[in-house]
Amino acid sequence: MAETIPRIAITPGEPAGIGPDIVLAIARRAWQAELVVIGDPELLRRRAAALGMEIELLALDPDAHPQVHRPGTLRVDPVPLAAPATPGVLDPANARYVLDTLQRAVDGCLAGTFDALVTAPVQKSVINDAGIPFSGHTEFLAEATRTPRVVMMLATDGLRVALATTHLPLKKVPDAITGDLLQQTLTILHRDLIGRFGCATPRIAVLGLNPHAGEGGHLGREEIDIIVPALERLRSQGLVLQGPLPADTAFNPKVLEHCDAVFAMYHDQGLPVLKYAGFGRAVNITLGLPIIRTSVDHGTALDLAGSGEASADSLVAAIDTALQMASQNRGEGRH
């Protein structure tokens, strides 16, 4: 039987940022997949010219069998910009374009046209400036796929960090940490570590919310009242969980060598460690979706757009991870 070639949808993100630059950069590599950029072909042509790149843009035929990517080419599923994009200059007129590319990609993944979605960075502020409520890719994809609960996880070499809460002001985090939230998010993490990453018996290190994991209630009672009871219920269902652990000592080799993922209570509790360990090579993964979605670990870098200095390493890692997850989905391999 012939090997199945995966077809990967890529959204180039904010048109004034480095998304188009890094998408063009990865087009020069060989891939055992068909890469399809969902975006404005003219934007890609102009940015390629500005960067001195020769890239042949090809039309997508969704009914044809996917073809292995040929370096120097790029398949495009066209979505037009509302206004010409200037590198480094945000324009709220193009906010809807950014969301339209994401919706087109989601629809294609749900229909089976694409095996996975890889996203370049968006600029949340300019989308909000256009009068469109938007808190991030993760939340948009959850709504677009009608998924009631998703989990953000970042991964780099030897470390995965998943989050109980994502883009919340710090003062709102304690009220958001409930037994139901922990039950749902840890169950999603456990399930996807098995189904998406091939971990037969996932081992998860769970961080406490407070310094020193509450220090027996002296530094907060969330661990005693909420986190410990939730972990005990989940352990009774077969989940292998350590914790709650103090966040300041959890990221050490003795803990990490015995876990498949670290589960942090909020964004800046776990992600600074992961990004220190692998910034520019890390991958953002949305768990719990009916589709595979990975992304880069960085922002739009407006100051680098069109300069030729932007690194595509994180996008390369995101595509590699998406391919591994798609292979795991098909039962062809284990990560």
Side-chain angles (χ1 to χ4, degrees), residues 170 174 207-223 227 244-249 265-266 269:
L170 192 56
L207 305 185
L209 173 65
N210 296 296
H212 300 177
E215 202 164 280
H218 295 287
L219 295 176
R221 291 194 55 86
E222 285 86 358
E223 287 76 15
I227 299 175
L245 303 174
D248 63 342
T249 56
M265 292 294 138
Y266 56 93
Q269 183 184 50

Side-chain angles (χ1 to χ4, degrees), residues 178-188 230 233-234 237 239:
T178 64
D180 285 344
L181 174 82
L182 297 177
Q183 177 89 21
Q184 294 169 23
T185 51
L186 280 164
T187 298
I188 290 169
R233 288 194 299 272
L234 289 164
Q237 298 168 20
L239 275 67

Side-chain angles (χ1 to χ4, degrees), residues 269-290:
Q269 183 184 50
L271 296 193
V273 178
L274 182 133
K275 291 193 176 185
Y276 175 78
F279 190 73
R281 307 183 310 278
V283 180
N284 187 343
I285 304 157
T286 307
L287 305 180
L289 295 171

Side-chain angles (χ1 to χ4, degrees), residues 184-248:
Q184 294 169 23
T185 51
L186 280 164
T187 298
I188 290 169
L189 175 59
H190 172 82
R191 184 186 67 214
D192 277 10
L193 285 172
I194 296 171
R196 302 290 202 196
F197 294 93
C199 301
T201 306
R203 303 161 300 171
I204 302 169
V206 180
L207 305 185
L209 173 65
N210 296 296
H212 300 177
E215 202 164 280
H218 295 287
L219 295 176
R221 291 194 55 86
E222 285 86 358
E223 287 76 15
I224 294 171
D225 295 339
I226 299 169
I227 299 175
V228 168
L231 299 190
E232 289 176 348
R233 288 194 299 272
L234 289 164
R235 289 186 185 109
S236 72
Q237 298 168 20
L239 275 67
V240 179
L241 306 171
Q242 301 180 56
L245 303 174
D248 63 342

Side-chain angles (χ1 to χ4, degrees), residues 234-323:
L234 289 164
R235 289 186 185 109
S236 72
Q237 298 168 20
L239 275 67
V240 179
L241 306 171
Q242 301 180 56
L245 303 174
D248 63 342
T249 56
F251 292 96
N252 70 74
K254 288 185 178 180
V255 174
L256 297 179
E257 69 184 1
H258 296 295
C259 74
D260 297 295
V262 175
F263 184 78
M265 292 294 138
Y266 56 93
H267 188 280
D268 282 12
Q269 183 184 50
L271 296 193
V273 178
L274 182 133
K275 291 193 176 185
Y276 175 78
F279 190 73
R281 307 183 310 278
V283 180
N284 187 343
I285 304 157
T286 307
L287 305 180
L289 295 171
I291 66 175
I292 293 169
R293 181 264 174 162
T294 67
S295 188
V296 296
D297 70 345
H298 56 75
T300 54
L302 297 171
D303 58 323
L304 295 180
S307 70
E309 298 178 9
S311 170
D313 288 352
S314 185
L315 183 59
V316 170
I319 296 171
D320 281 338
T321 301
L323 291 173

